[in-house]
Amino acid sequence: MPLTVECQTRPEGSKPKALRRSGEIPANLYGHKGTESISLVINAKTVERLLKKASVNNTLIDLNVTDVPWRGKTLLRELQVHPAKGTPYHLSFFAVAGHGDTNVEVPLRFVGNAVGVKQEGGFLDTVLTELQVSCSPENIPEVIEIDVSNLKIGDSLRIHELVLPQGVTALGEAEQVVVSVSQPQISADAEAETASETVSEAT
């Protein structure tokens, strides 16, 4: 279910710093009408609530520009934060209606206990934590679950081997490793101890 955010057009001649001091965050909307864009302001509290539930290039947002008026489904394409304070600085939204499939980044969630970890003492190496996919805005998954239960030491899953939701297509290199189970790491102390024992046995 899309999140709903209300905002207004940015007053002409307004300065971004002054807007932020007054509790408003500058934003832009793209893709709603060809190459045109709308300059917006969103209440800082609204942005704070939005960012607790939405992520860049993943969450469908129902944007309502109350004074144009314009309302439609969008994606948060860019989030800029203050380099020192870490607070939201500027947002960019992209209207997805009428643009067909869109490319988004979806978080990966690894489920199950890999055989190679549970029984063989290996460790799970998650190479990717997000996956870029193409799908319609209505089919954007919140997360993609990957079952690693059957992976043994030396096994891996590549992008082309993933089971994706219907209507969702993975992008990127098909042979890219997503997750694997590796041999257990031996610490330097353990290696030295093993080498010492070997020498002792030899003498």
Side-chain angles (χ1 to χ4, degrees):
M1 182 177 181
L3 301 172
T4 300
V5 171
E6 288 193 353
C7 57
Q8 295 79 39
T9 55
R10 195 182 310 174
E12 189 172 348
S14 60
K15 302 295 184 182
K17 286 185 178 180
L19 290 171
R20 295 185 188 101
R21 283 196 299 267
S22 66
E24 302 288 339
I25 304 298
N28 286 96
L29 169 65
Y30 301 94
H32 70 293
K33 190 186 295 185
T35 58
E36 290 185 24
S37 65
I38 303 178
S39 297
L40 307 170
V41 288
I42 307 176
N43 182 271
K45 294 293 185 183
T46 300
V47 172
E48 184 179 334
R49 289 192 297 269
L50 171 66
L51 296 180
K52 289 180 179 179
K53 300 179 179 179
S55 56
V56 174
N57 279 334
N58 173 253
T59 310
L60 205 58
I61 300 164
D62 194 351
L63 193 69
N64 182 17
V65 187
T66 56
D67 58 334
V68 175
W70 184 90
R71 183 167 191 156
K73 291 179 173 57
T74 67
L75 287 172
L76 178 60
R77 280 297 196 202
E78 184 182 20
L79 168 65
Q80 298 178 24
V81 297
H82 191 282
K85 299 177 182 178
T87 53
Y89 200 70
H90 186 278
L91 289 79
S92 295
F93 297 91
F94 180 77
V96 296
H99 291 276
D101 286 356
T102 187
N103 297 345
V104 295
E105 292 178 355
V106 181
L108 301 178
R109 178 188 298 152
F110 300 95
V111 299
N113 294 318
V115 172
V117 175
K118 182 172 58 176
Q119 299 179 7
E120 301 174 335
F123 72 97
L124 196 69
D125 183 10
T126 53
V127 180
L128 298 182
T129 57
E130 294 182 327
L131 182 67
Q132 189 173 43
V133 301
S134 176
C135 60
S136 67
E138 293 76 16
N139 287 334
I140 297 175
E142 291 186 8
V143 67
I144 293 174
E145 291 193 344
I146 299 176
D147 188 356
V148 299
S149 301
N150 295 324
L151 294 184
K152 300 177 181 178
I153 286 180
D155 288 348
S156 64
L157 283 175
R158 302 175 187 275
I159 287 181
H160 71 86
E161 297 173 315
L162 300 180
V163 179
L164 301 177
Q166 186 174 359
V168 177
T169 303
L171 303 176
E173 177 55 50
E175 292 297 324
Q176 167 70 52
V177 173
V178 177
V179 59
S180 64
V181 177
S182 302
Q183 291 280 0
Q185 291 181 323
I186 302 176
S187 67
D189 290 342
E191 288 181 347
E193 185 177 340
T194 301
S196 177
E197 290 175 354
T198 302
V199 171
S200 298
E201 291 174 358
T203 58

